[in-house]
Amino acid sequence: MSLDATSLRHGGRLMLAVDGQPRQTRSTCPYCGTGCGVLIESVGEQLVNVQGDPDHPANFGRLCTKGSTLHLTAAESVTRQARLRQPLLRAQRGGDTHAVSWDAALHLAADRLADIISSHGPEAVGFYGSGQLLTEDYYVLNKLVKGLIGTNNIDTNSRLCMSSAVAGYKATLGVDAPPACYDDFQHAETLFIVGANTAWAHPILFRRIEDARRARPSQKLIVADPRRTETAEVADLFLQIRPGTDVALFHGLLHVIVQEGLLNHDYIAQHTNGFAELRALVAKYEPAAVAETCGVAMADLIQAARWMGGHTPTLSLYCQGLNQSSQGTDKNAALINIHLATGQIGLPGAGPFSLTGQPNAMGGREVGGMANLLSAHRDLGNAQHREEVAALWGVPSVPAQPGKTAVEMFEAAARGEIKALWIACTNPAQSLPDQHTVRRALEKAEFVVVQEAFGTTATCEYADLLLPATTWGEKDGTVTNSERRISRVQPAVPAEGEARHDWAIFTALGRELEQRLPERVASYRPGTSTLFPYTSPESVWNEHRESTRGRDLDITGMSYALLETQGPQQWPMSEGEAQGQVRLYADGRFPTADGRAKFAAVEYRPPVEIPDAEFPFSLNTGRLRDQWHGMSRTGTLGRLFGHISEPTVDLHPQDLAELGLTEGDLVKVRSRRGMVIIPVSAAPSLAPRQAYIPMHWGSEYIGGRGAEGQRLCGVNALTQPAFCPTSKQPELKHATVSVEPVELPWKLVAMAWLPASNALIVREAAAQMGRELAFFSCVPFGREPDAMGRVGVLLRLAHTQPLADDQIAMLERWFGIEGSSVLRYTDTARAHRRALRLSSLDESQQVEAFLMAGDVRAQAWLRPLLQEDQPVAALGTMLLHPGAKAQGKVASRGKQICACFNVTEPQIEACVATCQGSEDERLAQLQGQLRCGTNCGSCVPALRKIIRLVPIATEATAAAPLEAVSLASS
Amino acid sequence: MNQRKKLVVIGNGMAGIRTIEELLKIAPDLYDITVFGAEPHPNYNRIMLSPVLAGEQTIDDIILNPVAWYAQHGITLHMGKVVTSVDRRNRIVTAADGTQAHYDRLLLATGSQPFVLPVPGHDLPGVITYRDIADTKAMIEATRAHQHAVVIGGGLLGLEAANGLNVRGMSVTVVHLADWLLERQLDPEAGELLKASLAERGLKFALSASTSACLADEQGRVRAVELKDGQQIPADLVVMAAGIRPDVRLATSMGLQCQRGILVTDTLQTLTDPRIYAVGECASHRGTAYGLVSPLYEQAVVCANHLANYGIGLYLGSQICTKLKVTGIDLFSAGDFMGAEGTDSIVLRDPVRGVYKKLVLKGDVLVGTCLYGDIQDGAWYFDLIRQGQNVADQRDTLVFGPQDPAP
C-alpha cells in the first residue's frame, strides 16, 4: 500500500478553515501529567490564542502560567528560530548539518540500522523515547522495536519519572493503575502530599486542592518534603523530612496507626496478604527513632498518623520525591501499605494517588513502551503475555529478555555495546543523570538519530541525523492523564516545514526496515504482510484498543468519535459501558492472582550517597513553577523567566554565611561525577546542608569549561545514576555534593531588549561563546506579547582572564550596542568596560542594552531599569558609574509575583497592608484591587505567604511607598 | 630714598606687570621701577582679546592695570615706546625716541611675535596677524566691510579669531596644517568633537592643509588663499594665527644667549647676565618657552622673590592646562593628554550629551587629561596631575569626579 506524505503528516484529519476565519480546536496541554484540556484558536496556519477548555474534567477551563502561554511558544518568531523544519544530515561529528529529503533520510537511517542489526544483532540498537509522545507514537515505536527489530532495548524518559510508581502499584495492587481521581480531592478529610511540590509542578491540581480546602474547612493537609515548598507553606502540618527517609516515615506512621488502633482489620483480612510480616517489621519503627531518622518532631509524626488513620477519608498525592530514588519502588509501596492497612482506597476521597510528571507517561505505560513492559499492562516475563502480543502483531515471537532501561542503555552505549541510538522527543544530554557518561555514549555511538520538534536541545549537537517532528498544536492522537483519563489531541495547524508526526516517522522507518530485513518479514504469521499498515493515528489507536480487550485497562468501549463527541474518558471502559471507571478497587478486588492486594514488608534504606566530609551537602533537584523539563519550549518565552529568572543553586542562609558567600556569588558545586559553576541564592525553605538546583538548567542555559578543559554540562553532571533495583529509576533527587566559592576574576554581564525575530538566535550564539569560558549563563527575559515585539536576553560570563576585545565587540553587536546613542566607559589597563545604548535622546530615554565587563556591580541597579523600561535621563553620564548603587533617584518596581498581570512584590505588600480581615478575606481584597492571582492562580500560594508576613497596617504604618532598587526582579 | 635700586621692566604685558605686582607685595620700597611698553596701552589681559573680538567684552573691560595704578605705585611708565638697545656695561636702556633709563636690575618681558607664514602675498593688505589690541581692532574693522575670512591656524588663537569673526557675520574658513584642531591641546577624538560643534556654528575647515600663497585682487588687496593642492578659498581678510615665536630681537642684540627664547635659570635670571631676568613668553626655561598665562604667573612669583633679594624658591617649570575661550564650548586638557608610551587611559564617551573624558595614567598616577563637553572636574584633575599622587583607591570613579566618601 502506498501512502502519501500528507496523510503521514496530518493523518488526513486536519481541515483548515477558510483563511482569516478564526478556528477553534479542542486539544490538551503538552506539559505536566494533569492533562488539562485546551481550546486552541488559530487563523489560517497560525496559532493565535489558547484557553482552558471549560468542559475538560481535568481543569474546567483553568490553565497555569505555562499552559496559558502555549500559543506564544508557537509564535512565528519562535518557530523560525527554534524549530527543526527539515531533515538534516551531519556529515561528520561536530560539523555542520545540511538538509536532505525525507526519502534520503529514511533510506540512510534504515540502511545504517539494518547494517548494525545484521552485523551486531538487534541488541546493538537502542531506542529512547519520551513521556511526551502520544499513545499512537508510542505504540508504533514499541511495535517497531519489539516486533520488527526484535529487541527490548526501548525505553523512555518516563523511566526518570514514573517507573517507581508503576513498580509500586504492581508490587502491591497488582497492576499499574492509579486508583483515585481528581474529584477525590474534594471528598478527602485528610490530604497527604509527599515528595511533590504540587503548587509548582501541578498548579491546576493545586487550584483544585485550594477549592477543596475552601469547600471543606475540616480537611487537613499534611505535607512531607525536605523543602518548605509553597505547597508546604499552606499545610496544616508540615514534616520537613531528611532527604530519602520516606520509607522510615511511612513505617513510622503505620507504627503509630497500629499503636493507636486505627487499623482497618476487616479490610486487611478480606482484601490483603502479608500484613503479619509488615506489622512485625513496622513494630521496629518506634516513633522516637523514626522522628530521629527523619528529622521531624515525634508529636508531628503522631499527629500525622492520627489524621491519616482517623480523620478519613485519606488521599495521598505523591510524585518525584518518591519515584526518583534508589528505593523508589519501596517508597511507593510503603505509602500504599498505609492505605491498605487503613482501608483508605477505593472510596471517594481515599487512595494512593501517584501524580504523573509528563503529559502521557500513562499512555506509554498502557502500550508497554518500556524495556520491561508489553502492550496493555502485559509483562515481558510472562510467556503467555508474550504470546498474546506476538499473535496480536502477527510476529512469531517477541523477545523475552528485558531490554536496557534509560540509564543502562546509555551506559551500554558508552561501553560500545549499543552502537545505534534513536532518540525521539526527549533530550538525554540534558535530563539523564551522570551527563559525562551520557555524552560519552552519544560520542561513542556509531549512529545517533534525534527525532525532535526543536533544534535547540543539547542532544541535537550529537545527532548524525536530525528528523523534524510535529509538536503541540500540530500533533494528532490521544494522551492519558494522571487519573486514567484519555483525551484527544487534535491539530490546529499543519506541521511546521517538513515536520512529520512521530507515529508516521516510525511507520515509514518500519516499512523501510522491513525491506532490509526480509527474513523477519518472511517469519510474519499468515495474513500479516507488514507490521505498519497505518494511515492515520486512529488506525494505530484502534489496534492498541484491541490489545486492551479484557485487560485491566480495557478501553474497547471508547473510540476517537466518542472522545471527540462525549469528551475525555477514564479507563477502564470496556465495550458496552457508557462511561469509564471513576475510581478503582471500590469492591476491594485487585488484579492479582487471588484478587488480594499485597503488603510490602521492605526495610528503610538510606540514599546511595551519604553526606561526608568531602561531599557534605545533599543535592536535590526538581521543577520550577514556570518552566518545563529541558525548556526547549518554555525557554523560548522571556515572560516565563519572570518567576525565577536565572540558574542558581539554593542554599540555606546559614550555609551561605559559613561559606562567606553572598547571593549571586559563583560557587563550584561538585559531586563524584562532575561539577557545575553556578550563582548561589539563599533559600530559608531548605534545611542546612541541603542544596537545590532546578532540573531545568542544562548546558543550553548554563555551563562552561572546567580547569581541565572539560565541558560543564548543567545540573545533571552532578546527579546520581544509581537506580532502584526494581523500577530502574535513577536517584535524581539525591546526590551528595561539595559547595565552594570560585574566584573568577573577570566577569561580564550583558543585557538587551532585542527584536523577537532574532533574540533566541542571539541567546544561542552568546551561549555558544560562553561554553568556551569558565562560566556562562544565558537566559531570555520579557513579557510576551510585547507591544514593541521585543524579547530580552541576559548573559553572564566569568573567566580567569578577560575575553578578547574582538569577541566583546562581537557580543556588543549581537546585543545591539552600536550607533550614536551608545555611552561608553573603558579602562584598558584594568580591562574594565561598560557600554549602554539608550532608546532615544529625549527625556523619556530608556536603557535598551548594556554590556559591562571587569566591574559588574552596576548591573544591580541597571538591570531593573532596563527590564522595567524606566526613564533614565535623570542619571545622564552617571549611567556609566561603576557603583553598586545608582547615582541618582531610580526606583524599581521589584520582583514580579503575578506573571499574568505583572504585579510585583512591593505593590502587593503595600496593598495587603491595607487589607483587613482573615487571610482569605485579605486575599480576596488584594485580588480585587490588583487582580494578581485571578487568572492562572499559580501565584496564589506566594500571595498567601506575603499576606501572612505583612501585618495589617495601622494608620501610622499605612501605605509604605515603594522604595529601594530591588534586585529581586533579577 | 635716593639710594633705592633701579628696576627697569621692558614689556608692559601680563608677565612683566604680574612680576611687579608680586614684587610690590613683598618689597614695596626696594626699587624705583620704570616700565617700557611698545603698545600705547597700559597692561591689559591679552588672553581676553577674543571675547572683545566676539563682541562679548570691550577694551576697557580687559584693562588690568589702568595708568593710575602705575602712578599710585610710583612707577614710571613709558607707553608706546619701543626699546631699541640696552648697554649692559653701563646698564642703560634706550628707546626709539631716545628715552633712556638706568637699571640695577633689568626684567625682560618682551613676549612673543606672531609667526607670519613666508608665503607669497603674506604682506598684502588684508593679511594680518592676531596678537594685540591693534590687530583686534583691525579685524573688527574688516568685518564691517568684508564677507570672507580665512584664518590660517587651527590652534587656540586661530579658533578664537575664527569664532569672533564668525560671530560678527563673516564666512570663515580655518586652514590648518595638522590632521585635527588644537593638536597641541586635544587628542584626535576631542578634536573631532570640537570641529563638529564649531561647524554647527557655521565655521568651515580645511584640515591637513598648507597654505601656498595669498592671492591679490586688482586693487591689490588679498582676495583668496591658495592651498598646496591648488584649491582656492575666497578671502578678503586673512588672519595668520599659525603660532608665535618668543620675541628675542632685543635680547639677541644685547648678546644674551637665546634658543627659542631667552635662556633663564630656575631663578628666572638670564644665563648670560645675572642682573637681567626674563619672564613670560620670551623666556626659555629648561627648553620650554610657555605661551600660556598660568606659567607666566608662576614665574612671576619666583622672579619677584629673587628681585626682592629673598632668594627663596625656584621655578621648576609648569604643568600647563588650556581652555578655549569660545562661548559654549567646554574643553580642557592638561599634562600628557595624548598618552605616551607606558601610559594607559580611562575614557568616557557620552555622545548623547556630547561629553568626552580621557584620563591618562602612568600606573596609578594621573599624568594627563583631555576633557570635552564637561570640564567641571578639570581643575581637580589638574591638581591630581601636579601632585602626582597615587589614585589607585579612586581609579574606578576618577572619571566621574571627586566622590563623596563611600558610605
Side-chain angles (χ1 to χ4, degrees), chain A residues 552-585:
Chain A
D552 64 291
L553 72 166
D554 191 321
I555 56 169
T556 50
M558 302 182 196
S559 70
Y560 267 28
L562 178 118
L563 293 173
E564 286 162 22
T565 53
Q566 291 169 41
Q569 301 295 328
Q570 286 176 284
W571 58 254
M573 178 173 167
S574 38
E575 206 161 4
E577 289 178 336
Q579 68 159 49
Q581 210 167 313
V582 174
R583 218 167 269 111
L584 303 181
Y585 317 135

Side-chain angles (χ1 to χ4, degrees), chain A residues 820-830 832 834 838 841 845 855 857 872-873 876-878 880-882 887, chain B residues 344-353 355 357 361 363-364 374 392 395-401 403-404 407:
Chain A
S820 60
S821 60
V822 174
L823 278 57
R824 287 184 183 283
Y825 171 92
T826 51
D827 180 342
T828 32
R830 308 249 290 142
H832 283 191
R834 289 184 292 283
L838 296 175
L841 308 186
Q845 66 187 226
D855 180 348
R857 288 171 299 158
V872 295
T877 305
M878 284 299 173
L880 290 171
H881 196 279
Q887 301 293 300
Chain B
D344 50 69
S345 50
I346 295 173
V347 180
L348 179 148
R349 300 177 176 87
D350 180 354
V352 176
R353 291 160 197 80
V355 171
K357 292 178 166 185
L361 296 97
D364 281 318
D374 171 5
R395 177 175 182 135
D396 291 345
T397 56
L398 201 59
V399 79
F400 301 95
Q403 302 291 299
D404 319 335

Side-chain angles (χ1 to χ4, degrees), chain B residues 72-395:
Chain B
Q72 178 190 335
H73 292 89
I75 298 170
T76 311
L77 174 62
H78 298 295
M79 281 196 294
K81 293 188 177 179
V82 181
V83 171
T84 48
S85 68
V86 173
D87 173 350
R88 283 168 49 204
R89 179 175 297 105
N90 302 304
R91 309 211 298 273
I92 295 172
V93 171
T94 308
D97 69 345
T99 313
Q100 291 200 327
H102 181 272
Y103 69 86
D104 300 298
R105 296 273 188 286
L106 178 63
L107 175 61
L108 295 175
T110 50
S112 56
Q113 304 169 274
F115 173 66
V116 177
L117 290 175
V119 294
H122 66 82
D123 51 3
L124 288 170
V127 179
I128 63 170
T129 58
Y130 181 29
R131 172 68 188 170
D132 56 27
I133 287 179
D135 299 331
T136 311
K137 285 180 168 166
M139 276 192 270
I140 293 170
E141 204 44 47
T143 60
R144 301 215 174 85
H146 301 288
Q147 244 324 302
H148 301 288
V150 164
V151 174
I152 300 174
L156 287 167
L157 206 59
L159 292 180
E160 287 174 18
N163 178 66
L165 295 170
N166 180 60
V167 167
R168 290 181 179 268
M170 287 189 97
S171 144
V172 184
T173 304
V174 175
V175 175
H176 190 49
L177 194 55
D179 299 343
W180 69 92
L181 300 175
L182 296 190
E183 79 278 9
R184 298 255 194 82
Q185 291 83 15
L186 298 180
D187 64 11
E189 187 163 353
E192 258 315 299
L193 291 169
L194 172 61
K195 182 182 160 193
S197 50
L198 287 174
E200 264 175 35
R201 299 159 173 244
L203 267 61
K204 295 180 284 304
F205 298 93
L207 297 184
S208 326
S210 62
T211 309
S212 57
C214 297
L215 310 175
D217 61 14
E218 43 286 347
Q219 286 80 31
R221 182 183 174 89
V222 67
R223 65 169 174 83
V225 163
E226 185 177 63
L227 305 182
K228 279 251 163 62
D229 65 11
Q231 183 192 355
Q232 288 189 11
I233 306 168
D236 25 35
L237 174 68
V238 174
V239 179
M240 294 237 185
I244 54 173
R245 299 284 182 272
D247 187 346
V248 294
R249 288 170 298 183
L250 180 64
T252 315
S253 73
M254 295 163 59
L256 298 178
Q257 195 182 346
C258 298
Q259 201 178 80
R260 286 201 88 262
I262 306 162
L263 298 185
V264 295
T265 66
D266 290 353
T267 57
L268 283 316
Q269 287 165 298
T270 60
L271 229 53
T272 318
D273 183 341
R275 285 180 179 277
I276 304 181
Y277 295 71
V279 291
E281 292 178 342
C282 67
S284 171
H285 173 266
R286 298 190 181 185
T288 308
Y290 296 95
L292 297 159
V293 69
S294 60
L296 313 195
Y297 289 168
E298 290 168 15
Q299 291 174 355
V301 174
V302 175
C303 185
N305 182 281
H306 287 275
L307 285 169
N309 299 330
Y310 289 110
I312 309 164
L314 296 175
Y315 176 71
L316 302 176
S318 295
Q319 285 280 7
I320 58 166
C321 69
T322 48
K323 285 188 182 171
L324 180 72
K325 284 169 302 305
V326 171
T327 310
I329 292 183
D330 297 324
L331 63 83
F332 180 96
S333 78
D336 174 14
F337 61 85
M338 285 295 283
E341 191 65 22
T343 65
D344 50 69
S345 50
I346 295 173
V347 180
L348 179 148
R349 300 177 176 87
D350 180 354
V352 176
R353 291 160 197 80
V355 171
Y356 171 78
K357 292 178 166 185
K358 175 168 153 192
L359 303 178
V360 179
L361 296 97
K362 204 176 186 74
D364 281 318
V365 174
L366 188 63
V367 295
T369 183
C370 177
L371 308 175
Y372 188 90
D374 171 5
I375 61 171
Q376 69 178 24
D377 299 317
W380 183 61
Y381 295 132
F382 193 37
D383 288 344
L384 289 173
I385 292 168
R386 279 187 294 202
Q387 295 155 9
Q389 81 184 45
N390 185 302
V391 295
D393 56 340
Q394 51 184 335
R395 177 175 182 135

Side-chain angles (χ1 to χ4, degrees), chain A residues 477-656:
Chain A
T478 59
V479 293
T480 311
N481 71 4
S482 297
E483 61 170 358
R484 296 170 282 108
R485 192 179 297 278
I486 298 176
S487 300
R488 275 284 282 125
V489 171
Q490 302 189 84
V493 293
E496 173 65 24
E498 296 178 22
R500 293 186 180 180
H501 296 317
D502 292 284
W503 70 264
I505 297 171
F506 294 132
T507 295
L509 174 67
R511 302 248 185 102
E512 290 294 333
L513 269 178
E514 282 180 325
Q515 291 172 29
R516 288 161 179 77
L517 302 170
E519 67 293 343
R520 295 288 304 176
V521 179
S523 72
Y524 289 167
R525 301 190 184 197
T528 305
S529 57
T530 174
L531 302 189
F532 312 97
Y534 314 114
T535 56
S536 69
E538 185 169 16
S539 61
V540 177
W541 187 82
N542 289 342
E543 183 177 315
H544 159 61
R545 177 181 59 184
E546 193 50 37
S547 77
T548 67
R549 188 176 295 277
R551 306 281 311 160
D552 64 291
L553 72 166
D554 191 321
I555 56 169
T556 50
M558 302 182 196
S559 70
Y560 267 28
L562 178 118
L563 293 173
E564 286 162 22
T565 53
Q566 291 169 41
Q569 301 295 328
Q570 286 176 284
W571 58 254
M573 178 173 167
S574 38
E575 206 161 4
E577 289 178 336
Q579 68 159 49
Q581 210 167 313
V582 174
R583 218 167 269 111
L584 303 181
Y585 317 135
D587 57 2
R589 288 199 50 78
F590 293 89
T592 55
D594 59 6
R596 287 165 165 265
K598 305 186 286 291
F599 284 102
V602 292
E603 288 280 7
Y604 158 68
R605 282 184 287 105
V608 172
E609 287 181 328
I610 306 298
D612 56 24
E614 188 184 0
F615 300 102
F617 286 82
S618 288
L619 174 70
N620 189 357
T621 67
R623 279 185 182 157
L624 294 175
R625 191 191 75 193
D626 291 359
Q627 297 295 350
W628 170 257
H629 284 196
M631 302 160 73
S632 48
R633 180 181 293 278
T634 52
T636 62
L637 293 189
R639 69 177 286 156
L640 291 181
F641 290 75
H643 178 235
I644 302 293
S645 63
E646 288 184 77
T648 61
V649 56
D650 292 351
L651 293 182
H652 189 278
Q654 179 183 313
D655 289 320
L656 253 63

